[in-house]
Structures are given as structure tokens and as C-alpha cells.
Amino acid sequence: MTSARSLWTADRQLPSSTEPVRFGPLVGRRDDEAMRAFRSYGLGQFIHWGLYSMLGDEWEGRSARGHAPASEWIRQWNPETAPEGWPEVYDALADQFDPQGFDARAWARQAKEMGARYVIFTTKHHDGFALWPSEHSGTTIARSPYPGDIVGEVVGAYQAEGIDVFLYFSVLEWNHPDYVRHVPRTEEERERWARFEQYTRAQLLELLDRYPGVKGLWFDGTWDPSWVAAHEFTHRLEQELRAAAPGLIIGSRFRGDEHGSRHVDSTGALLGDYEQGWERKMPPNLEMLDGHDWDCVMPLPPNGWGHIRDTEGLYLKTGDDLIELLMRARSMNGNLVINVGPDGDGALSAHENRVLAEVGAFARENAAAIYDARHVDLPEPRCGLLTGADDTLYLTVLSVPVTGAARLAVPRDAERVPIAARLLAGGAPLAVTWQDIGYDLDPMTYYDIALPSAGNVEGAFVVEIDLAAPDARARDLMDAAM
Ligand code: H79
């Protein structure tokens, strides 16, 4: 996986400081019900919805592609090419947001069909527009013609489907009079910043108060120097949030320590309940995760989380891509969260509908390999990805080798070895053959599982493999050979 490693992410910077940390973790690794549920979510849905959704990355036929960092960033259209009076035009969309076709229950049913066990919903993105009628802001859904409370409808609909809800919340606002990007320098800036902190606190507590049962917070926009320096404030606020909603799961993007270290403190300890840095990228290996819980959030286009009307020329991840990402995340104990960007009326694109259905079909047939299955301490087979639970291995085959067999390497002294295999979907048996190849100095021995030929399977498929003591091996292999 060396090439993937260099393409996908840089190596983690190892902590350099051993100075004592005062604003470090508030809780250690949790093993309560909420975190156990998090570990078996497996698959999640991210929804980016807001004023930008009405535009689809364009304005009056002019595309913002290449002029703003992403579709949900369209308010930041490069001033040199932006339409006349652009940021004001954008902000005025708040007076028009009126998604007549929005049906939270239909979204939630579709998420359930897709196999999602949690949803992360944008309550407020960097444009500052709140999708709930916040008492602390004039820029909310209450200002729009839409009569409802979008966040409330989404939370209720997903909870009714048994899908846990996490709230996405951006602490950065492009257009708030009190927001300061740098560390406040003057008395006036310090006053503004203190007001912005209190506004952030009030909105977060308001969300937890209005929507009881929310399971977690997914923070964004915490990289500006003002927020990085606000370590005392965020340390205190994290305690308040935890007290307001016992069991709440807080991502590591919320805060940093007094040395400016974010996500993890300067000694490498995680600042939050799970690692929240895997945005549009996958950890290259399990070791890099340091035992932390984590999720990977992924849009379908290369970048762009909000609706894009014209996707011509953009690579859109396929169902096969997402299934591979899902199983890669599960093979390293993480969750995959797939993003959709509904349009201004709440409709998903044909491509989104298609890939969600494809992931759902895979997840339904192969649930045992996904939700309660974890990392397996065996070398990654060339043909796919491994997950496992108890005495069962799940091999998600991504490509059938020319030999027609999946080869698993198992330590010679292993107490549990493959003895039987079958297709997880449908149960068709597959022959297991012990191949004691005898490479010089090799601590491993090998098991070949005969796979259906590539022409007989469509897309990725999962092989369920029983493990048992090697004593059982001779007898069962003999059975298999008969
Ligand atoms: O909501 C989606 C993105 O809009 C949000 N996170 C996901 C879930 C996100 N916002 N910013 N970023 C992700 C990355 C930030 C990139 C930045 Fe920059 C680099 C901000 C400032 C420097 C790129 C370059 C954007 C502006 C200049």
C-alpha cells in the first residue's frame, strides 16, 4: 500500500513536546454504551444542506467551479470573477429558502435503506445560516419563507428510523460582525471575540436543549488562529456540553491545547472521543490511528459537499468505490460516512440515489462483515480486505486473482486457522485448501479459498471463513475434498 500511502495522506507528525499539558483530554478512552454503538455504526450518511444548495455551484448560468474552493463555499467566489455584489446576493438567499419538496422522513428512509446507522447533518455551515430557528442569530430558517424547523424535522425523522444523529456545526462564520480570524489584538477585537465565543456557546447549548437524544457533535472550522488560541474557552465549553448531554460524543476537531496542538494534544493524546481528521482521506494503516476511534467522511465528487447542479467533468465516486472505502474503513475499525448534497428543494441527484442504493444492497447482504466486525490481525490479502468477529473472518473480495483463489497468510503457530468458507450472501460453499508452501524462514502458512470466477460475480463480494483449532484442519479439509 506504499503508493496509496503517499497519495492519500502525509505521515502523522509525531508529537515533539513532552511539556505538561493543562488543556489536554477531559475524558480517556470511553467504553460506555454510546461509544460501543459508535464502534459498530460502520456506515453513516453526511448531509450538507443550506443556502448554497439552492445554487448548485452556479449563479444565473455561470459556474463557480474553479472560482470557489467548493460548492458549499460558493459565497467565497473569487471577487475578481464573482457576480456583481456577490456576498450580499448570497446572504439574501436567506429570504428565499423555501424547500417545498423537503421530506425528512423520505431522507431517513433512504438512509436506512442504505444501511446508515448514523447521520451527520449541517446545522450551520461557514455562511452562518442556521437551519434551526436559533434565538441567538438573525440569520436562520426563521427568516426564510419556510415555516418549519429543518434541524428538528431531520432529527425527528432519523431518530424515528433508529438512526443516531450527530450535528455538524461550524464555529467559523464568514459574515458575523463579531468573528475574528486572527488572535484578537486590540481591546475592540477582544470584546468582539468574547461575544462570538458566547454566541457559539449559546447556540451549541441551544441545540442540545432543543434536540434531546442527539448522540454527537461534528465540529468544523476550528483552524483559524483565533479558535486555536481559545483553548481555555473550548476546554470549559467541552465540559459544559458533556454535562448538558451525558454520553455525548465529541469529535477531535473541536479544540486544541495551549501549545497549539489540535486533534491530539502535544503529547499525542486524543482531544475528544474520536479522531475527526479523516476528511476525504483514509488512514494508510491501523498503526497510524494509535488505537483511536475514527470516522472517514467522504463526498462523492473530488471536493464539494453541497449540491452541484452540473457535475460534467467531475469524477463521481461509484458504488464500487464506496464499498471498497467502507470495507477499508471497517478493516481498520473506522466508520465510513458518505456525503450527499440535496438540491434547494431537498432532492438528491440520480447519481446519489444510485450509489446509495448500491451501497445499501451490499450492506444488507453482508451486514455481518460490516457492523459488528472489526480489524483482524493478519496480513491484508492482495485480493481484498479483512474484517472479523469471534471465530469468523470476512474477506471482501475486490478483485479475483488469476489463480482463482484467495490466499490468506496465517502464522504457523496460530491457534485458529481457516477450516471452511462460503459466500456470505447466499451461503454457497467454497473449498479451503491448506498450502504449506514452505518459503525459507517464512513464519506464515497459507490457505487458499477457491473463488467464484470473475465472470460469475458482480462487484465486490464477501467470503465468510470459519476459524478453528488446527487439529480440526485435517478432518475438515478432508471433508471439503470429498
Ligand atoms: O463541510 C465540508 C467543507 O466545506 C468543510 N469540511 C467539510 C466537511 C471544510 N471547510 N474547509 N475545509 C473543509 C478545509 C479548509 C481548507 C482551508 Fe482554505 C485551507 C481553509 C483555508 C485554507 C481552501 C483554501 C479553502 C480556502 C482556502
Side-chain angles (χ1 to χ4, degrees):
M1 297 307 298
T2 335
S3 56
R5 182 191 190 99
S6 50
L7 278 174
W8 285 33
T9 187
D11 280 346
R12 178 186 302 254
Q13 293 265 306
L14 287 175
S16 52
S17 163
T18 47
E19 293 174 67
V21 173
R22 287 178 54 217
F23 297 92
L26 282 157
V27 289
R29 185 183 160 84
R30 287 166 49 183
D31 198 30
D32 48 83
E33 201 185 327
M35 281 309 293
R36 283 200 300 273
F38 181 89
R39 288 175 194 128
S40 60
Y41 284 156
L43 183 57
Q45 181 191 43
F46 210 141
I47 303 177
H48 272 72
W49 211 40
L51 300 181
Y52 46 82
S53 310
M54 299 164 72
L55 305 182
D57 210 26
E58 56 188 54
W59 176 251
E60 294 181 342
R62 286 168 63 190
S63 173
R65 200 190 295 178
H67 302 279
S71 49
E72 72 284 2
W73 279 64
I74 190 170
R75 190 181 183 279
Q76 302 306 86
W77 198 320
N78 180 345
E80 287 181 17
T81 57
E84 183 82 20
W86 179 243
E88 293 73 30
V89 171
Y90 180 94
D91 289 340
L93 293 170
D95 299 321
Q96 292 169 39
F97 189 68
D98 192 15
Q100 293 292 321
F102 168 54
D103 179 354
R105 281 179 302 183
W107 283 5
R109 275 196 303 274
Q110 186 176 20
K112 186 87 178 175
E113 284 279 296
M114 159 199 168
R117 294 220 172 151
Y118 69 130
V119 65
I120 307 173
F121 183 68
T122 50
T123 61
K124 182 186 81 168
H125 204 263
H126 311 331
D127 61 10
F129 182 74
L131 287 158
W132 79 102
S134 174
E135 283 178 19
H136 310 286
S137 167
T139 313
T140 79
I141 190 70
R143 181 179 147 187
S144 78
Y146 186 77
D149 164 10
I150 303 270
V151 174
E153 291 179 51
V154 168
V155 171
Y158 278 75
Q159 285 177 341
E161 287 290 347
I163 298 173
D164 284 352
V165 180
F166 280 47
L167 302 180
Y168 166 105
F169 185 90
S170 170
V171 300
L172 172 166
E173 280 194 30
W174 289 317
N175 192 34
H176 195 289
D178 289 333
Y179 192 71
V180 184
R181 294 184 56 171
H182 49 263
V183 180
R185 291 186 278 254
T186 63
E187 195 49 41
E188 187 261 350
E189 283 181 348
R190 273 189 289 275
E191 280 170 19
R192 277 167 55 204
W193 180 251
R195 281 200 301 273
F196 193 81
E197 284 179 340
Q198 288 313 313
Y199 158 68
T200 302
R201 171 180 176 274
Q203 282 202 326
L204 285 166
L205 290 171
E206 183 185 38
L207 282 169
L208 294 180
D209 182 53
R210 286 181 67 97
Y211 311 111
V214 157
K215 299 290 183 188
L217 296 175
W218 203 96
F219 283 101
D220 207 2
T222 52
W223 45 75
D224 279 343
S226 47
W227 273 117
V228 177
H231 50 267
E232 278 194 58
F233 173 77
T234 48
H235 186 262
R236 211 167 40 245
L237 182 53
E238 184 179 318
Q239 295 172 61
E240 279 191 274
L241 298 174
R242 290 188 188 282
L248 188 72
I249 294 174
I250 296 181
S252 67
R253 201 179 289 193
F254 183 44
R255 65 187 179 92
D257 71 5
E258 69 272 30
H259 307 295
S261 182
R262 301 176 54 232
H263 291 279
V264 294
D265 75 10
S266 329
T267 70
L270 186 65
L271 290 167
D273 297 312
Y274 72 103
E275 227 187 77
Q276 216 201 318
W278 302 104
E279 175 170 321
R280 290 197 296 130
K281 54 182 173 291
M282 264 292 149
N285 53 50
L286 184 80
E287 291 67 40
M288 193 180 228
L289 291 156
D290 228 356
H292 300 154
D293 293 300
W294 63 282
D295 65 9
C296 164
V297 295
M298 196 61 85
L300 299 182
N303 194 11
W305 301 72
H307 174 57
I308 302 175
R309 199 194 62 81
D310 178 9
T311 55
E312 182 68 32
L314 294 178
Y315 183 82
L316 301 179
K317 290 174 197 75
T318 63
D320 289 332
D321 289 332
L322 297 168
I323 289 165
E324 175 172 353
L325 290 169
L326 167 65
M327 298 317 294
R328 192 172 290 286
R330 293 314 283 155
S331 76
M332 295 185 284
N333 296 331
N335 301 321
L336 179 74
V337 185
I338 300 172
N339 182 72
V340 292
D343 68 15
D345 210 28
L348 271 62
S349 71
H351 180 80
E352 288 171 332
N353 286 328
R354 185 163 55 245
V355 297
L356 262 48
E358 286 172 12
V359 169
F362 178 86
R364 238 184 325 281
E365 286 197 311
N366 299 295
I370 302 171
Y371 302 104
D372 293 318
R374 309 278 300 162
H375 173 74
V376 173
D377 189 18
L378 287 177
E380 189 175 290
R382 293 222 187 122
C383 61
L385 297 159
L386 279 178
T387 53
D390 300 323
D391 271 342
T392 309
L393 292 182
Y394 299 100
L395 169 61
T396 302
V397 178
L398 298 167
S399 53
V400 176
V402 290
T403 58
R407 180 160 289 178
L408 292 184
V410 177
R412 284 188 170 280
D413 58 0
E415 287 173 8
R416 288 280 182 274
V417 302
I419 58 149
R422 66 200 65 83
L423 289 179
L424 180 55
L430 301 172
V432 179
T433 316
W434 178 31
Q435 311 284 27
D436 194 18
I437 300 176
Y439 293 129
D440 192 24
L441 302 180
D442 189 0
M444 311 303 272
T445 189
Y446 299 85
Y447 292 82
D448 280 354
I449 298 160
L451 297 176
S453 63
N456 292 337
V457 284
E458 210 175 295
F461 60 94
V462 179
V463 176
E464 183 181 51
I465 302 158
D466 301 333
L467 300 178
D471 309 348
R473 178 168 64 196
R475 195 184 62 237
D476 285 38
L477 290 179
M478 235 183 289
D479 286 351
M482 286 195 312

